[in-house]
Amino acid sequence: MGKFFEITRKLSNQMRSRRRVVITGMGIVSPLGCGIETSWKSLLAGKSGVVKLEGPDYEKLPCKIGAIVPKGDKPGELNLEAKFTKSELRTMCRATAYALIAAEEALIDANWRPDNENDRQDTGVAVGVGMIDLVDVCTMYETLKNSYSKVSPYFVPRILPNMAAGQISIKYGFRGPNHCVSTACATGAHSIGDAFRFVRGGETNVMLCGGAESCISPLAIAAFCRLRALSTSRNDFPHEASRPFDRSRDGFVMGEGSSILVIEELNHALQRNAKIYGEILGYGLSGDAAHLTAPSEDGSGALLAMDRALKDAGCEKTDVTYVNAHATSTPLGDTIELRSIEALFGEHTSNVFVSSTKGAHGHLLGAAGNLEAAFTILALKEGIIPPTINLHDLDAESTPLNFVPNVPKEWPITERRIALKNAFGFGGTNACLCLAEFRE
């Protein structure tokens, strides 16, 4: 009898692990505009969200540009004061505000606003923030020097990385997993991957997942400049500064924003007649174990993450025809990632397309992997591969990979469109998502 129960338990676990997970809603706040349609159209049109940063404190810095969310009341722009009360804004940092706005759009898009307790208990949140706003810390320290009583009681909640997830959970009463990872520039992809495992494993049926970032300030720009990570050669031509894979690239452009996905178990989505954007098939993680800020030179960390995502998905290398690269526009990072992609696909490399949308929206740090995952999902659904803008002189000799410079390409017809989405972070942390066109 004991052996029977053991076999039953194993079969049950195997069935739970094979639960299919689909994407049913998305929300975007990005340098390309606010809203799914605005951002996607801007990306396909080759627009850039990189602008000159205003203020005297930036003038003395080597980098004077950034990719910021457009502010205002016009379509695609954002007015935080119109979205939140003053008292609400005191409780949250800007990244949390972006996450709340993206979450609202995603829930509306998914038509998922449960009003009964069972559904709320069955909905979780996994949203991370890569880096706190240093302005908050500096401002409050100056306040403390003048008066202890003026230190805000909301200071700690404003700087905790899990407060975007917490605020979303509180606002909508979601009582499933309340989860946050903060893994530098892999944060958004790790958040989606962890949420995927929660749903696939049967812990919950619905998850809101993604990341948010808003840390552009003179101090943050100065710090990344000291790391020699940022582009400094095109301050007068900001739209041209972020140029992944281009021979003249000289660093990334810091960006801000948020993207939130609603993912759910397939049968749950079908039972409520939800629209389905695509499916998450697999998730891979790895560590470089090499350097604080630089990727391992042989590309082994990225290769491991991609290979593990494929194995987790049960896919063959030949099934994949597009890689949405992490490529940030740094001389070292882009080259190493291409090397790892070629090593992974081998003879199949000539059938693989590669692009990095960071040319258009810059590098959103902790919100990079999730924003780019959203664009990859739209690419899968519509059969259009988004371009790498500012790619005019490819820095890759004799590579058989297919690049997508400056204009989008139609996705060649395949049995099923399947893509990998890479995201890598300081400390040698790597994530890869295997995403696919939905086939019932």
mmCIF file of all heavy atoms in Angstrom, residues 117-153:
data_model
loop_
_atom_site.group_PDB
_atom_site.id
_atom_site.type_symbol
_atom_site.label_atom_id
_atom_site.label_comp_id
_atom_site.label_asym_id
_atom_site.label_seq_id
_atom_site.Cartn_x
_atom_site.Cartn_y
_atom_site.Cartn_z
ATOM 1 N N GLU A 117 -13.323 35.881 -2.787
ATOM 2 C CA GLU A 117 -12.135 35.592 -1.999
ATOM 3 C C GLU A 117 -11.334 34.419 -2.557
ATOM 4 O O GLU A 117 -10.095 34.433 -2.529
ATOM 5 C CB GLU A 117 -12.537 35.302 -0.550
ATOM 6 C CG GLU A 117 -11.373 35.095 0.413
ATOM 7 C CD GLU A 117 -10.428 36.284 0.502
ATOM 8 O OE1 GLU A 117 -10.839 37.415 0.139
ATOM 9 O OE2 GLU A 117 -9.271 36.095 0.913
ATOM 10 N N ASN A 118 -11.981 33.404 -3.083
ATOM 11 C CA ASN A 118 -11.251 32.258 -3.615
ATOM 12 C C ASN A 118 -10.343 32.656 -4.772
ATOM 13 O O ASN A 118 -9.189 32.231 -4.851
ATOM 14 C CB ASN A 118 -12.231 31.171 -4.072
ATOM 15 C CG ASN A 118 -12.880 30.442 -2.909
ATOM 16 O OD1 ASN A 118 -12.326 30.416 -1.810
ATOM 17 N ND2 ASN A 118 -14.040 29.866 -3.140
ATOM 18 N N ASP A 119 -10.869 33.475 -5.673
ATOM 19 C CA ASP A 119 -10.060 33.919 -6.811
ATOM 20 C C ASP A 119 -8.920 34.829 -6.366
ATOM 21 O O ASP A 119 -7.820 34.790 -6.931
ATOM 22 C CB ASP A 119 -10.939 34.638 -7.833
ATOM 23 C CG ASP A 119 -11.775 33.670 -8.661
ATOM 24 O OD1 ASP A 119 -11.434 32.478 -8.700
ATOM 25 O OD2 ASP A 119 -12.776 34.112 -9.257
ATOM 26 N N ARG A 120 -9.184 35.650 -5.361
ATOM 27 C CA ARG A 120 -8.115 36.527 -4.861
ATOM 28 C C ARG A 120 -7.014 35.721 -4.173
ATOM 29 O O ARG A 120 -5.828 36.046 -4.298
ATOM 30 C CB ARG A 120 -8.702 37.557 -3.903
ATOM 31 C CG ARG A 120 -9.505 38.642 -4.608
ATOM 32 C CD ARG A 120 -10.142 39.582 -3.620
ATOM 33 N NE ARG A 120 -10.840 40.669 -4.305
ATOM 34 C CZ ARG A 120 -11.621 41.553 -3.695
ATOM 35 N NH1 ARG A 120 -11.818 41.476 -2.387
ATOM 36 N NH2 ARG A 120 -12.207 42.508 -4.385
ATOM 37 N N GLN A 121 -7.403 34.674 -3.465
ATOM 38 C CA GLN A 121 -6.397 33.814 -2.846
ATOM 39 C C GLN A 121 -5.616 33.034 -3.889
ATOM 40 O O GLN A 121 -4.497 32.582 -3.627
ATOM 41 C CB GLN A 121 -7.070 32.855 -1.867
ATOM 42 C CG GLN A 121 -7.589 33.517 -0.601
ATOM 43 C CD GLN A 121 -8.174 32.517 0.374
ATOM 44 O OE1 GLN A 121 -7.980 31.313 0.238
ATOM 45 N NE2 GLN A 121 -8.890 33.018 1.373
ATOM 46 N N ASP A 122 -6.178 32.888 -5.054
ATOM 47 C CA ASP A 122 -5.572 32.121 -6.133
ATOM 48 C C ASP A 122 -4.783 32.998 -7.104
ATOM 49 O O ASP A 122 -4.388 32.549 -8.166
ATOM 50 C CB ASP A 122 -6.670 31.362 -6.899
ATOM 51 C CG ASP A 122 -6.128 30.176 -7.678
ATOM 52 O OD1 ASP A 122 -5.105 29.605 -7.254
ATOM 53 O OD2 ASP A 122 -6.723 29.821 -8.707
ATOM 54 N N THR A 123 -4.576 34.267 -6.736
ATOM 55 C CA THR A 123 -3.833 35.209 -7.578
ATOM 56 C C THR A 123 -2.651 35.761 -6.792
ATOM 57 O O THR A 123 -2.823 36.298 -5.696
ATOM 58 C CB THR A 123 -4.732 36.375 -8.038
ATOM 59 O OG1 THR A 123 -5.886 35.864 -8.708
ATOM 60 C CG2 THR A 123 -3.972 37.300 -8.983
ATOM 61 N N GLY A 124 -1.459 35.642 -7.350
ATOM 62 C CA GLY A 124 -0.259 36.114 -6.669
ATOM 63 C C GLY A 124 0.451 37.204 -7.447
ATOM 64 O O GLY A 124 0.077 37.555 -8.569
ATOM 65 N N VAL A 125 1.492 37.737 -6.834
ATOM 66 C CA VAL A 125 2.277 38.829 -7.422
ATOM 67 C C VAL A 125 3.765 38.517 -7.280
ATOM 68 O O VAL A 125 4.225 38.147 -6.195
ATOM 69 C CB VAL A 125 1.968 40.178 -6.736
ATOM 70 C CG1 VAL A 125 2.737 41.311 -7.432
ATOM 71 C CG2 VAL A 125 0.482 40.464 -6.717
ATOM 72 N N ALA A 126 4.513 38.641 -8.374
ATOM 73 C CA ALA A 126 5.973 38.515 -8.346
ATOM 74 C C ALA A 126 6.552 39.673 -9.149
ATOM 75 O O ALA A 126 6.626 39.604 -10.378
ATOM 76 C CB ALA A 126 6.415 37.178 -8.925
ATOM 77 N N VAL A 127 6.884 40.742 -8.468
ATOM 78 C CA VAL A 127 7.400 41.949 -9.122
ATOM 79 C C VAL A 127 8.645 42.416 -8.369
ATOM 80 O O VAL A 127 8.621 42.566 -7.146
ATOM 81 C CB VAL A 127 6.347 43.081 -9.134
ATOM 82 C CG1 VAL A 127 6.940 44.356 -9.724
ATOM 83 C CG2 VAL A 127 5.120 42.653 -9.937
ATOM 84 N N GLY A 128 9.719 42.630 -9.102
ATOM 85 C CA GLY A 128 10.970 43.045 -8.482
ATOM 86 C C GLY A 128 11.426 44.418 -8.927
ATOM 87 O O GLY A 128 10.972 44.947 -9.946
ATOM 88 N N VAL A 129 12.326 44.990 -8.162
ATOM 89 C CA VAL A 129 12.981 46.257 -8.487
ATOM 90 C C VAL A 129 14.485 46.029 -8.376
ATOM 91 O O VAL A 129 14.955 45.466 -7.386
ATOM 92 C CB VAL A 129 12.534 47.382 -7.536
ATOM 93 C CG1 VAL A 129 13.334 48.658 -7.787
ATOM 94 C CG2 VAL A 129 11.037 47.659 -7.692
ATOM 95 N N GLY A 130 15.221 46.450 -9.383
ATOM 96 C CA GLY A 130 16.646 46.175 -9.388
ATOM 97 C C GLY A 130 17.454 47.072 -8.477
ATOM 98 O O GLY A 130 18.407 46.634 -7.838
ATOM 99 N N MET A 131 17.051 48.333 -8.386
ATOM 100 C CA MET A 131 17.881 49.303 -7.668
ATOM 101 C C MET A 131 16.991 50.404 -7.105
ATOM 102 O O MET A 131 16.106 50.911 -7.800
ATOM 103 C CB MET A 131 18.902 49.894 -8.648
ATOM 104 C CG MET A 131 19.956 50.764 -8.044
ATOM 105 S SD MET A 131 21.201 51.117 -9.323
ATOM 106 C CE MET A 131 21.708 52.743 -8.816
ATOM 107 N N ILE A 132 17.192 50.767 -5.856
ATOM 108 C CA ILE A 132 16.382 51.825 -5.258
ATOM 109 C C ILE A 132 16.772 53.185 -5.831
ATOM 110 O O ILE A 132 17.853 53.352 -6.408
ATOM 111 C CB ILE A 132 16.526 51.857 -3.719
ATOM 112 C CG1 ILE A 132 17.971 52.190 -3.307
ATOM 113 C CG2 ILE A 132 16.072 50.542 -3.109
ATOM 114 C CD1 ILE A 132 18.137 52.461 -1.831
ATOM 115 N N ASP A 133 15.877 54.144 -5.661
ATOM 116 C CA ASP A 133 16.154 55.513 -6.107
ATOM 117 C C ASP A 133 17.097 56.173 -5.105
ATOM 118 O O ASP A 133 16.728 56.419 -3.952
ATOM 119 C CB ASP A 133 14.828 56.287 -6.195
ATOM 120 C CG ASP A 133 15.017 57.680 -6.776
ATOM 121 O OD1 ASP A 133 16.174 58.081 -7.027
ATOM 122 O OD2 ASP A 133 14.002 58.367 -6.976
ATOM 123 N N LEU A 134 18.324 56.439 -5.545
ATOM 124 C CA LEU A 134 19.325 57.017 -4.646
ATOM 125 C C LEU A 134 18.947 58.418 -4.173
ATOM 126 O O LEU A 134 19.390 58.867 -3.113
ATOM 127 C CB LEU A 134 20.689 57.051 -5.349
ATOM 128 C CG LEU A 134 21.236 55.685 -5.790
ATOM 129 C CD1 LEU A 134 22.564 55.864 -6.503
ATOM 130 C CD2 LEU A 134 21.374 54.754 -4.607
ATOM 131 N N VAL A 135 18.103 59.105 -4.944
ATOM 132 C CA VAL A 135 17.661 60.445 -4.542
ATOM 133 C C VAL A 135 16.881 60.372 -3.242
ATOM 134 O O VAL A 135 16.999 61.235 -2.370
ATOM 135 C CB VAL A 135 16.807 61.098 -5.650
ATOM 136 C CG1 VAL A 135 16.194 62.408 -5.162
ATOM 137 C CG2 VAL A 135 17.660 61.358 -6.885
ATOM 138 N N ASP A 136 16.061 59.340 -3.081
ATOM 139 C CA ASP A 136 15.309 59.157 -1.843
ATOM 140 C C ASP A 136 16.242 59.102 -0.646
ATOM 141 O O ASP A 136 16.005 59.736 0.389
ATOM 142 C CB ASP A 136 14.498 57.860 -1.903
ATOM 143 C CG ASP A 136 13.045 58.096 -2.303
ATOM 144 O OD1 ASP A 136 12.653 59.269 -2.426
ATOM 145 O OD2 ASP A 136 12.321 57.113 -2.498
ATOM 146 N N VAL A 137 17.313 58.312 -0.782
ATOM 147 C CA VAL A 137 18.254 58.138 0.319
ATOM 148 C C VAL A 137 18.987 59.440 0.624
ATOM 149 O O VAL A 137 19.096 59.855 1.788
ATOM 150 C CB VAL A 137 19.263 57.016 -0.009
ATOM 151 C CG1 VAL A 137 20.258 56.845 1.130
ATOM 152 C CG2 VAL A 137 18.526 55.714 -0.270
ATOM 153 N N CYS A 138 19.487 60.097 -0.414
ATOM 154 C CA CYS A 138 20.243 61.339 -0.209
ATOM 155 C C CYS A 138 19.371 62.439 0.397
ATOM 156 O O CYS A 138 19.792 63.148 1.315
ATOM 157 C CB CYS A 138 20.840 61.810 -1.534
ATOM 158 S SG CYS A 138 22.077 60.695 -2.217
ATOM 159 N N THR A 139 18.162 62.562 -0.109
ATOM 160 C CA THR A 139 17.251 63.601 0.380
ATOM 161 C C THR A 139 16.909 63.379 1.851
ATOM 162 O O THR A 139 16.895 64.321 2.653
ATOM 163 C CB THR A 139 15.958 63.628 -0.458
ATOM 164 O OG1 THR A 139 16.299 63.892 -1.819
ATOM 165 C CG2 THR A 139 15.000 64.695 0.041
ATOM 166 N N MET A 140 16.633 62.124 2.202
ATOM 167 C CA MET A 140 16.252 61.850 3.581
ATOM 168 C C MET A 140 17.430 62.008 4.534
ATOM 169 O O MET A 140 17.253 62.395 5.693
ATOM 170 C CB MET A 140 15.644 60.447 3.687
ATOM 171 C CG MET A 140 14.709 60.268 4.869
ATOM 172 S SD MET A 140 13.384 61.510 4.958
ATOM 173 C CE MET A 140 12.537 61.236 3.412
ATOM 174 N N TYR A 141 18.632 61.723 4.057
ATOM 175 C CA TYR A 141 19.800 61.927 4.917
ATOM 176 C C TYR A 141 19.997 63.405 5.204
ATOM 177 O O TYR A 141 20.307 63.799 6.342
ATOM 178 C CB TYR A 141 21.051 61.351 4.257
ATOM 179 C CG TYR A 141 22.284 61.502 5.116
ATOM 180 C CD1 TYR A 141 22.404 60.804 6.308
ATOM 181 C CD2 TYR A 141 23.318 62.349 4.735
ATOM 182 C CE1 TYR A 141 23.529 60.953 7.108
ATOM 183 C CE2 TYR A 141 24.438 62.506 5.524
ATOM 184 C CZ TYR A 141 24.551 61.804 6.714
ATOM 185 O OH TYR A 141 25.655 61.951 7.509
ATOM 186 N N GLU A 142 19.802 64.240 4.193
ATOM 187 C CA GLU A 142 19.898 65.684 4.409
ATOM 188 C C GLU A 142 18.810 66.167 5.369
ATOM 189 O O GLU A 142 19.037 67.053 6.205
ATOM 190 C CB GLU A 142 19.782 66.426 3.071
ATOM 191 C CG GLU A 142 20.970 66.231 2.147
ATOM 192 C CD GLU A 142 22.272 66.697 2.777
ATOM 193 O OE1 GLU A 142 22.273 67.792 3.404
ATOM 194 O OE2 GLU A 142 23.275 65.971 2.657
ATOM 195 N N THR A 143 17.631 65.573 5.271
ATOM 196 C CA THR A 143 16.541 65.916 6.186
ATOM 197 C C THR A 143 16.909 65.559 7.621
ATOM 198 O O THR A 143 16.655 66.332 8.556
ATOM 199 C CB THR A 143 15.247 65.168 5.774
ATOM 200 O OG1 THR A 143 14.887 65.564 4.460
ATOM 201 C CG2 THR A 143 14.112 65.473 6.743
ATOM 202 N N LEU A 144 17.490 64.375 7.800
ATOM 203 C CA LEU A 144 17.877 63.936 9.138
ATOM 204 C C LEU A 144 18.889 64.874 9.774
ATOM 205 O O LEU A 144 18.850 65.133 10.981
ATOM 206 C CB LEU A 144 18.453 62.514 9.058
ATOM 207 C CG LEU A 144 19.049 61.954 10.354
ATOM 208 C CD1 LEU A 144 17.992 61.872 11.453
ATOM 209 C CD2 LEU A 144 19.673 60.591 10.112
ATOM 210 N N LYS A 145 19.812 65.416 8.979
ATOM 211 C CA LYS A 145 20.827 66.321 9.521
ATOM 212 C C LYS A 145 20.193 67.576 10.109
ATOM 213 O O LYS A 145 20.725 68.182 11.027
ATOM 214 C CB LYS A 145 21.837 66.690 8.430
ATOM 215 C CG LYS A 145 22.755 65.529 8.074
ATOM 216 C CD LYS A 145 24.012 65.977 7.340
ATOM 217 C CE LYS A 145 23.701 66.529 5.964
ATOM 218 N NZ LYS A 145 24.943 66.819 5.210
ATOM 219 N N ASN A 146 19.021 67.939 9.582
ATOM 220 C CA ASN A 146 18.328 69.128 10.078
ATOM 221 C C ASN A 146 17.326 68.807 11.182
ATOM 222 O O ASN A 146 17.160 69.590 12.117
ATOM 223 C CB ASN A 146 17.600 69.830 8.925
ATOM 224 C CG ASN A 146 18.561 70.392 7.901
ATOM 225 O OD1 ASN A 146 19.624 70.900 8.251
ATOM 226 N ND2 ASN A 146 18.208 70.278 6.616
ATOM 227 N N SER A 147 16.651 67.655 11.066
ATOM 228 C CA SER A 147 15.605 67.341 12.041
ATOM 229 C C SER A 147 15.214 65.873 11.974
ATOM 230 O O SER A 147 14.786 65.402 10.927
ATOM 231 C CB SER A 147 14.368 68.209 11.800
ATOM 232 O OG SER A 147 13.293 67.789 12.608
ATOM 233 N N TYR A 148 15.330 65.171 13.104
ATOM 234 C CA TYR A 148 14.907 63.774 13.165
ATOM 235 C C TYR A 148 13.412 63.654 12.910
ATOM 236 O O TYR A 148 12.959 62.733 12.223
ATOM 237 C CB TYR A 148 15.239 63.199 14.546
ATOM 238 C CG TYR A 148 14.409 61.988 14.919
ATOM 239 C CD1 TYR A 148 14.683 60.739 14.360
ATOM 240 C CD2 TYR A 148 13.338 62.103 15.810
ATOM 241 C CE1 TYR A 148 13.912 59.637 14.676
ATOM 242 C CE2 TYR A 148 12.562 61.004 16.121
ATOM 243 C CZ TYR A 148 12.853 59.773 15.560
ATOM 244 O OH TYR A 148 12.086 58.682 15.878
ATOM 245 N N SER A 149 12.635 64.572 13.440
ATOM 246 C CA SER A 149 11.177 64.484 13.343
ATOM 247 C C SER A 149 10.674 64.654 11.908
ATOM 248 O O SER A 149 9.521 64.334 11.624
ATOM 249 C CB SER A 149 10.510 65.524 14.246
ATOM 250 O OG SER A 149 10.855 66.838 13.840
ATOM 251 N N LYS A 150 11.518 65.171 11.029
ATOM 252 C CA LYS A 150 11.107 65.363 9.640
ATOM 253 C C LYS A 150 11.367 64.126 8.765
ATOM 254 O O LYS A 150 10.976 64.097 7.596
ATOM 255 C CB LYS A 150 11.851 66.557 9.031
ATOM 256 C CG LYS A 150 11.520 67.897 9.679
ATOM 257 C CD LYS A 150 10.080 68.311 9.415
ATOM 258 C CE LYS A 150 9.796 69.698 9.967
ATOM 259 N NZ LYS A 150 8.386 70.095 9.741
ATOM 260 N N VAL A 151 12.041 63.116 9.326
ATOM 261 C CA VAL A 151 12.272 61.883 8.567
ATOM 262 C C VAL A 151 10.930 61.199 8.342
ATOM 263 O O VAL A 151 10.166 60.950 9.269
ATOM 264 C CB VAL A 151 13.225 60.943 9.319
ATOM 265 C CG1 VAL A 151 13.326 59.587 8.610
ATOM 266 C CG2 VAL A 151 14.603 61.575 9.436
ATOM 267 N N SER A 152 10.642 60.900 7.109
ATOM 268 C CA SER A 152 9.334 60.354 6.764
ATOM 269 C C SER A 152 9.157 58.924 7.272
ATOM 270 O O SER A 152 10.054 58.087 7.119
ATOM 271 C CB SER A 152 9.154 60.351 5.242
ATOM 272 O OG SER A 152 8.005 59.622 4.880
ATOM 273 N N PRO A 153 8.005 58.624 7.865
ATOM 274 C CA PRO A 153 7.725 57.238 8.262
ATOM 275 C C PRO A 153 7.576 56.316 7.052
ATOM 276 O O PRO A 153 7.590 55.085 7.197
ATOM 277 C CB PRO A 153 6.412 57.351 9.044
ATOM 278 C CG PRO A 153 5.777 58.605 8.548
ATOM 279 C CD PRO A 153 6.899 59.530 8.226
#
